């Protein structure tokens, strides 16, 4: 706050003037004159005002010994000049604030610079609790759920179409229900065959690992990861006995109820690839025409 100062002025009397009593600065006698003591040294009023008094920030006139001097951060005002820049009300004995060295009462400062409540559009006064979200501000009691009208405070909430909802109300009003667990989906949902699932509920029917974000396939309305699907349903390679998925465009060879991976369809004897070539069979083996001559 601003500090105020009155200067104590005295008048020389005969008792003080028994000995010579002069102004410390101009050495003129103070007998019968008004004077001011500063650090126990007497000054005539004129010298004191030249040496120690300040000019007012507003009217630029000298603040005399007999005037109230209000000071704030090395700046000085007459009492009658210490006013709010916006509404011109006196700031003497009132709280005030400054912006770029401009004096304002707290009401004008708040109207000019404080945040406005996104709900009621009124100023959020300095020192009051303020709720903030995505660049908007609210009074604590104005930051409420659009459905139940209860203050949200520091609880979790969801924003939809510019309105805020507590989680409970949002789930009741907007959230889809997972087709598996029948509970509301608030985040991280998956859509499969036009039905909503939680990510954690959309899993392989075989190994139970989550399928969101990875390749999968289905059979009889059940979803499977590729490994489980191949192990359960895919044909086995006649050479390496591992599943042939046939998914994603992978190629394989089929002959008389037997299947081979392309990389496994080789001559049993010389190991040359037989893909796209003629071949012979000898019991469970396949041979190239050259090796087949021996049989």
């Amino acid at each position: 706050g601003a500090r105020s100062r009155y200067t104590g002025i005295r008048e020389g009397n005969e008792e003080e003037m028994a000995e010579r009593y002069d102004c410390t600065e101009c050495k003129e006698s103070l007998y019968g004159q008004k004077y001011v003591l500063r650090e126990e040294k007497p000054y005539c009023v004129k010298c004191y005002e030249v040496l120690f008094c300040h000019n007012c920030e507003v009217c630029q006139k000298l603040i005399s010994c007999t005037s109230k001097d209000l000071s704030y951060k090395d700046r000085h005002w007459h009492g009658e000049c210490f006013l709010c820049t916006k509404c011109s009300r006196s700031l003497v004995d009132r709280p005030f604030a400054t912006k770029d060295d401009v004096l304002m009462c707290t009401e004008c400062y708040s109207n000019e610079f404080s945040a406005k409540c996104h709900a009621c559009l009124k100023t959020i006064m300095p020192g009051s609790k303020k709720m903030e979200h995505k660049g908007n501000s609210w009074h604590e009691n104005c930051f409420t759920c659009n459905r139940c009208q209860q203050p949200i405070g520091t609880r979790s909430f969801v924003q939809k179409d510019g309105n805020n909802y507590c989680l409970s109300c949002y789930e009741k009003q907007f959230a889809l229900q997972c087709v598996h667990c029948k509970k509301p989906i608030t985040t991280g949902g998956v859509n499969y065959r036009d039905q909503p699932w939680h990510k954690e509920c959309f899993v392989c029917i075989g190994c139970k690992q989550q399928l969101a974000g990875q390749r999968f396939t289905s059979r009889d309305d059940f979803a499977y990861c590729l490994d489980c699907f191949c192990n359960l349903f895919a044909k086995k390679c006649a050479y390496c006995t591992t599943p042939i998925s046939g998914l994603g465009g992978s190629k394989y060879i089929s002959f008389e109820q037997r299947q081979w991976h392309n990389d496994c369809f080789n001559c049993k004897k010389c190991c040359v690839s037989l893909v796209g070539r003629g071949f012979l069979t000898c019991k469970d083996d396949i041979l190239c025409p050259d090796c087949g001559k021996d049989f």
Side-chain angles (χ1 to χ4, degrees):
R3 293 178 315 212
S4 61
R5 174 184 60 79
Y6 274 112
T7 303
I9 298 179
R10 302 186 180 189
E11 188 168 351
N13 53 47
E14 292 183 5
E15 184 177 342
E16 286 178 319
M17 300 301 150
E19 297 182 5
R20 188 168 180 84
Y21 199 63
D22 300 334
C23 170
T24 304
E25 179 66 16
C26 68
K27 309 305 181 185
E28 292 290 329
S29 174
L30 297 176
Y31 179 71
Q33 304 293 323
K34 293 181 178 179
Y35 69 94
V36 183
L37 279 178
R38 182 183 174 91
E39 297 176 357
E40 300 185 359
K41 295 179 180 179
Y43 294 86
C44 66
V45 171
K46 183 178 179 180
C47 287
Y48 182 88
E49 291 182 342
V50 170
L51 292 172
F52 304 114
C53 288
H54 303 90
N55 288 334
C56 174
E57 284 282 327
V58 175
C59 68
Q60 301 303 316
K61 294 180 180 178
L62 186 74
I63 303 172
S64 69
C65 295
T66 56
S67 298
K68 193 173 187 178
D69 182 338
L70 290 165
S71 63
Y72 175 72
K73 289 187 176 180
D74 296 325
R75 301 163 67 202
H76 298 263
W77 293 262
H78 290 108
E80 60 272 19
C81 295
F82 195 58
L83 309 174
C84 171
T85 306
K86 292 291 180 180
C87 67
S88 299
R89 284 188 296 179
S90 173
L91 298 178
V92 178
D93 298 326
R94 292 172 61 99
F96 64 91
T98 61
K99 178 75 173 179
D100 300 327
D101 291 333
V102 176
L103 292 174
M104 281 177 274
C105 63
T106 52
E107 290 87 351
C108 288
Y109 182 89
S110 297
N111 291 332
E112 192 80 11
F113 301 109
S114 294
K116 303 293 189 295
C117 177
H118 191 65
C120 70
L121 304 181
K122 295 180 180 178
T123 300
I124 301 174
M125 298 299 288
S128 60
K129 195 165 185 179
K130 178 173 66 173
M131 313 303 293
E132 294 180 309
H133 178 66
K134 291 186 176 180
N136 292 321
S137 302
W138 290 263
H139 292 107
E140 183 179 20
N141 291 331
C142 293
F143 189 58
T144 59
C145 170
N146 192 61
R147 188 170 187 266
C148 67
Q149 301 302 314
Q150 294 301 308
I152 294 173
T154 56
R155 293 181 295 155
S156 298
F157 68 96
V158 179
Q159 194 171 62
K160 182 176 175 64
D161 299 330
N163 295 316
N164 300 316
Y165 297 87
C166 64
L167 286 185
S168 177
C169 287
Y170 180 83
E171 290 172 357
K172 291 174 184 175
Q173 188 162 339
F174 300 109
L176 296 172
Q177 283 194 338
C178 174
V179 70
H180 175 71
C181 69
K182 310 303 181 188
K183 294 181 180 179
I185 301 171
T186 54
T187 58
V190 174
N191 190 57
Y192 175 62
R193 290 186 174 178
D194 295 326
Q195 291 181 318
W197 301 68
H198 289 113
K199 275 186 179 180
E200 55 271 23
C201 291
F202 188 58
V203 298
C204 171
I205 194 68
C207 65
K208 308 302 181 186
Q209 71 168 324
Q210 289 188 27
L211 297 177
Q214 64 169 302
R215 294 177 62 197
F216 65 93
T217 188
S218 64
R219 186 181 178 110
D220 300 329
D221 291 330
F222 294 110
Y224 295 86
C225 68
L226 296 190
D227 288 341
C228 286
F229 183 84
C230 290
N231 289 331
L232 291 169
F233 305 112
K235 300 178 185 300
K236 303 296 190 294
C237 176
Y239 175 73
C240 70
T241 71
T242 59
I244 300 172
S245 71
L247 299 170
S250 61
K251 296 179 179 180
Y252 64 96
I253 309 298
S254 180
F255 178 72
E256 293 183 351
Q257 307 302 314
R258 290 190 294 168
Q259 289 79 32
W260 292 262
H261 294 107
N262 268 19
D263 293 340
C264 295
F265 193 60
N266 303 320
C267 174
K268 176 67 174 178
K269 190 173 182 182
C270 69
C271 297
V272 68
S273 173
L274 298 177
V275 177
R277 300 178 57 183
F279 62 93
L280 302 171
T281 61
C282 181
K283 297 182 181 178
D284 291 337
D285 299 329
I286 53 173
L287 302 167
C288 68
D290 291 338
C291 293
K293 291 176 183 178
D294 297 338
F295 296 91

